[in-house]
Amino acid sequence: MRAPRLGRAFATVGLWTMASRVLGFARDVMIAAALGSGPAAQAFVVAFSLPNLFRRFFAEGAFNMAFVPMFAKRLEGEGPEAARAFAEDALSALTAILIGFTLAAQLAMPWLVLALASGFADDARLELTTALGRIAFPYILFISLAALFSGVLNSLGRFAAAAAAPVLLNVVLIAALALESAGALSALPAVGPPGADAPARLHAGTVLAWACLAAGLAQLALVRAAARRAGMALVLRRPRLTPELRRLAIVALPAALAGGVVQINLVVGRQVASYFDGAVAWLYYADRLYQLPLGVVGVAIGVVLLPDLARRLRAGDAAGGRESANRAAEFALALTLPAAAALIAMPGPMVGVLFGRGAFAPEDVAATALAAAIYGAGLPAFTLQKVVQPIYFAREDTRSPFRFALWGMAANAAIAIGLAPAIGYLSAALATTAAGWLNLLLLWRGARAFGGAAEPDARLRRRAPRLAAASALMGLGAAGMATAAAPWLEAPGWRYAALAGLVAASAALYGAAAWALGAMRPAELRAALRRG
């Protein structure tokens, strides 16, 4: 089958991801206003994190990284029917595993909560988080199956439905909060100990937990229908261990272990945060801020590049694979370096305008802004990992990323735990950023074994320093403009317009600097991506 144009595919995934992240901001603004940073907010963050943590372990982190290259190669070499049979076997096996795991998690929920936030052990947050977690955890079943269908669609070159599915999560949560604030869901009883937080916050947290479950069903329904329209109407079979599934398990196991290491990093950070009042919520909102550019750029690259490299590898097109990886890296740097500079230069105005209202107090804004700036310093590393990792996964090499992830885990734990007595909850953010850069360095060095597949070409080596210089100039200018615009950023009637103007002016400054330095030629980049 004909490979999709990378530029168009990046744009499709990126635009839908942008819509999801913008709605995600609207969702988080509403959550921050409704829950603040108190017990209900912390309990919901941990309860919602549990299925998402294991989702990345089962679906996006391990299963899909092994499944997509194998499915794409069968589609390219053996035809749609062989690919469909393989996908149905994988669907049946994943469904059986997830149902069993979900039932076990319901029984083990208090221990899962303590594994994520042991600081909750001696207060009402444990009971509240356990109750919310039992409601929200089955989300893992629906979203993991949706990830499999999304992998099928991406391998077929159909990116829109899979990229649009996360939008549904935010739409459902926003609608649930709107209905809750209007009193339409007052009949739904709140869970958890009555004295854990204000009754209104407890009820809002309960509504959000049920909404997560409904959103998972909606996401699965969307991608399943899209796969049917694409000619891949997968049906559940009786699970059976075929030779192909044995190979899938062999390839997926190191990826699962690597995914487990990544999740351990998150657990370590949240454990540290759970010992500082309000820090679980602060790190959550800071994470949401830097996840916007990471999602729009990094996720788009990872989704599109993996099946493209798998097809090129099957066809013996090594030069085309190197070109795709280099142009993806250039695309990533051109967008994430200025985003990182903005997060470092003006986190306060962004956090204040987006989240500073209702129960989210000024001290919450200040604490969240510090974490956001530290996360911003790691944004280029997190994004470039999405460029280098597919080079391994397309070759069904999941062992090397696992080894590198172990080093990252060690660095993360040492920094997060070691520096917590000195800098508090910020040690978790600093550890995440440092581990991200270490993991990128190890991935890039290890990829040399693939004959230059990850070697920067002359164009990338020439433009990367210029993109960095343009971003640094933009960051300096953005910091000055934020200081000058402070009165408008704090005025209730002007804050959104002032932030939008500040972002637009910063983007214009970056564009002018990049053009003057010869760092970016938009038309040339689009043409290169179309050729890829």
Side-chain angles (χ1 to χ4, degrees):
M1 63 178 291
R2 182 177 181 272
R5 290 178 173 178
L6 286 183
R8 182 178 300 174
F10 286 157
T12 298
V13 178
L15 288 173
W16 275 112
T17 306
M18 173 66 83
S20 173
R21 301 294 170 157
V22 170
L23 286 172
F25 270 122
R27 175 199 77 191
D28 290 334
V29 165
M30 295 176 71
I31 292 175
L35 302 183
S37 63
Q42 296 174 58
F44 173 72
V45 167
V46 173
F48 186 47
S49 296
L50 278 168
N52 281 290
L53 183 154
F54 288 106
R55 175 197 76 185
R56 297 185 181 103
F57 182 88
F58 277 108
E60 297 165 359
F63 188 87
N64 244 20
M65 291 301 102
F67 171 78
V68 168
M70 295 177 70
F71 179 84
K73 289 176 183 178
R74 277 165 179 76
L75 189 66
E76 185 76 19
E78 302 173 34
E81 290 306 315
R84 185 207 312 275
F86 172 65
E88 288 181 344
D89 285 336
L91 175 67
S92 301
L94 184 61
T95 301
I97 292 170
L98 286 168
I99 289 174
F101 183 74
T102 300
L103 293 174
Q106 295 296 316
L107 299 175
M109 190 57 64
W111 294 275
L112 289 176
V113 171
L114 289 175
L116 209 61
S118 59
F120 290 6
D122 297 326
D123 58 53
R125 290 178 297 176
L126 175 60
E127 183 180 345
L128 177 57
T129 309
T130 298
L132 295 179
R134 284 180 169 142
I135 297 170
F137 197 86
Y139 176 74
I140 188 179
L141 171 63
F142 305 120
I143 196 58
S144 296
L145 297 180
L148 185 145
F149 280 100
S150 296
V152 169
L153 290 167
N154 293 336
S155 298
L156 294 169
R158 296 172 178 252
F159 299 99
V167 173
L168 284 178
L169 170 65
N170 296 320
V171 168
V172 171
L173 292 181
I174 288 171
L177 280 173
L179 291 171
E180 196 275 337
S181 64
L185 301 176
S186 57
L188 182 69
V191 300
D197 206 336
R201 296 179 188 175
L202 292 176
H203 189 265
T206 303
V207 167
L208 285 167
W210 283 109
C212 292
L213 200 57
L217 276 168
Q219 289 173 281
L220 176 58
L222 173 65
V223 292
R224 184 173 181 272
R228 186 188 305 114
R229 289 193 301 271
M232 284 286 169
L234 306 183
V235 297
L236 283 173
R237 302 175 175 179
R238 179 181 174 184
R240 57 197 182 105
L241 188 60
T242 65
E244 291 81 6
L245 284 187
R246 288 192 186 95
R247 173 62 183 164
L248 178 63
I250 290 171
V251 175
L253 180 59
L257 294 173
V261 168
V262 172
Q263 301 317 313
I264 289 171
N265 289 342
L266 297 175
V267 169
V268 168
R270 192 155 281 134
Q271 285 282 15
V272 169
S274 71
Y275 287 91
F276 299 90
D277 189 32
V280 169
W282 298 335
L283 290 178
Y284 171 77
Y285 293 119
D287 175 87
R288 297 302 302 163
L289 196 59
Y290 91 88
Q291 285 287 339
L292 174 62
L294 177 60
V296 172
V297 183
V299 171
I301 288 172
V303 164
V304 175
L305 194 57
L306 177 56
D308 180 75
L309 291 180
R311 280 191 297 266
R312 292 184 185 278
L313 188 63
R314 172 85 184 193
D317 184 11
R322 284 194 296 271
E323 172 71 10
S324 293
N326 271 277
R327 299 291 71 77
E330 184 180 344
F331 176 81
L333 290 173
L335 295 180
T336 56
L337 285 174
L343 283 170
I344 294 169
M346 52 178 188
M350 288 190 281
V351 173
V353 172
L354 292 170
F355 301 120
R357 63 182 49 74
F360 206 73
E363 55 268 27
D364 297 320
V365 170
T368 303
L370 287 174
I374 296 173
Y375 283 139
L379 180 58
F382 304 140
T383 307
L384 288 175
Q385 286 179 31
K386 304 293 185 181
V387 177
V388 184
Q389 284 173 340
I391 296 172
Y392 291 86
F393 297 140
R395 292 164 172 80
E396 299 180 12
D397 177 5
T398 51
R399 292 181 177 86
S400 297
F402 168 58
R403 292 197 306 271
F404 303 148
L406 286 176
W407 285 103
M409 179 187 73
N412 180 81
I415 296 170
I417 298 172
L419 292 182
I423 61 174
Y425 74 100
L426 291 176
S427 67
L430 183 61
T432 299
T433 291
W437 281 106
L438 175 61
N439 198 30
L440 173 63
L441 175 62
L442 294 173
L443 284 166
W444 178 72
R445 291 184 62 187
R448 294 176 181 176
F450 301 132
E455 194 68 26
D457 61 13
R459 172 171 156 178
L460 183 59
R461 288 196 299 269
R462 183 176 66 253
R463 293 198 173 176
R466 301 179 186 187
L467 288 169
S471 299
L473 290 172
M474 186 219 74
L476 292 173
M481 289 187 289
T483 301
W488 290 275
L489 289 166
E490 296 170 3
W494 290 94
R495 57 193 325 200
Y496 287 110
L499 181 61
L502 180 58
V503 170
S506 299
L509 177 59
Y510 169 69
W515 179 83
L517 293 171
M520 187 168 55
R521 296 286 186 269
E524 183 181 70
L525 181 58
R526 287 195 300 269
L529 290 172
R530 283 198 298 270
R531 288 196 301 271

